[in-house]
Amino acid sequence: MTHTTPRGARGDGAALPAAPGIVGILGGMGPLATVDFMRKLLDATPAATDQEHIPVVVSSIPQVPDRTAAFRGEGESPLAAMIVSGRRLAAAGAGVVVVPCNTAHLWFDELEQALGLPMIHLVDAAIAEALALVPEGGKVGLLSTDATLASGLYLNRRPPQGRAVQWLLPTAGEMIDLIEPGIVAVKAGQLATAASLLAAAAARLKARGAGALVLGCTEIPLVLDAASAGLPVIDATAALARRAVEWAKRDSDPTGAR
């Protein structure tokens, strides 16, 4: 397999040839979620030695403008900063880019085009796992930022299997009183408070008939799991990690199988 300098790499002499199976993580949104995603990559990798783990490069730049504020028209777009961060990954030889931030996927298409590298869409990975958990006609609850919810990032995404998802959404009051404060608490390191708020939101969705719950914000899985939610959960970033590992294993296959 022949590898060339990745498209989108900086022309400053720092670019490295793309090597097989290198996953680029465009992180920093937020920093704790990026570290959590890296752990999920390790957990998703069947490896008995250091050398069997997948190669990864990370750009964790927390100064990317707030994605939710940008969506609301209340702040600067994060796209330019994400492109700069992503080009660091291209220059380091990444062959694919993943972004462990749900709301950042509102700029997914523009980012992928600017970087000139393939990217794996977090929402596609999460929806595929949700459909595998819930029978036909079953309801899937969604916990996310208000920007992710209002944008239709999940609701309007075409499921890869062609099967429609029956989404069950939080009420406006639940967003204001439980979910948004819970996410803010995670970012502030107030994890006990966040866990209490988000578990209460999960209980409301379960009571209305959710058969499973998509954790559609990178911070939420840090404090909420199936045990505390009281129903099966789909951790969107864990789903993304599994897809990234699959890509890395295929790309490093010496037979060239894809």
Side-chain angles (χ1 to χ4, degrees):
M1 188 186 309
T2 301
H3 293 274
T4 58
T5 300
R7 290 172 295 159
R10 295 173 301 170
D12 59 4
L16 300 174
I22 294 184
V23 174
I25 302 173
L26 203 171
M29 302 174 282
L32 184 57
T34 301
V35 174
D36 179 61
F37 179 76
M38 293 176 67
R39 178 54 189 260
K40 288 167 182 172
L41 274 179
L42 293 179
D43 291 343
T45 305
T49 66
D50 290 348
Q51 292 73 23
E52 291 177 351
H53 281 279
I54 66 170
V56 173
V57 293
V58 183
S59 180
S60 181
I61 309 297
Q63 286 69 38
V64 175
D66 185 86
R67 282 66 59 199
T68 296
F71 173 77
R72 293 171 177 163
E74 299 170 353
E76 179 185 354
S77 169
L79 181 59
M82 288 194 293
I83 290 171
V84 171
S85 194
R87 284 177 175 162
R88 291 188 175 94
L89 302 174
V96 73
V97 172
V98 295
V99 184
C101 171
N102 283 260
T103 312
H105 280 68
L106 296 175
W107 293 270
F108 181 92
D109 293 338
E110 297 95 327
L111 179 62
E112 185 175 41
Q113 182 177 9
L115 296 182
L117 287 173
M119 294 178 61
I120 303 172
H121 203 292
L122 177 151
V123 175
D124 290 345
I127 288 177
E129 294 197 4
L131 291 176
L133 276 178
V134 177
E136 187 80 40
K139 296 178 181 178
V140 179
L142 177 62
L143 293 181
S144 69
T145 65
D146 62 346
T148 295
L149 191 63
S151 69
L153 181 65
Y154 278 84
L155 308 184
N156 297 332
R157 191 76 181 173
R158 185 183 298 275
Q161 298 93 331
R163 174 184 150 198
V165 181
Q166 301 298 315
W167 291 108
L168 185 63
L169 306 179
T171 66
E174 289 162 357
M175 289 296 301
I176 293 169
D177 296 334
L178 300 173
I179 300 172
E180 286 293 331
I183 293 169
V184 170
V186 174
K187 290 181 178 292
Q190 300 166 359
L191 301 187
T193 297
S196 176
L197 291 168
L198 293 167
R204 303 277 186 90
L205 290 171
K206 179 183 178 181
R208 294 204 295 274
L213 189 62
V214 169
L215 308 183
C217 171
T218 319
E219 273 73 30
I220 294 175
L222 297 171
V223 296
L224 190 70
D225 57 15
S228 56
L231 73 168
V233 300
I234 299 91
D235 179 343
T237 48
L240 179 63
R242 286 186 278 273
R243 286 283 184 93
V245 170
E246 290 171 6
W247 176 90
K249 294 294 186 182
R250 286 198 308 269
D251 197 63
S252 60
D253 186 339
T255 68
R258 303 296 296 173

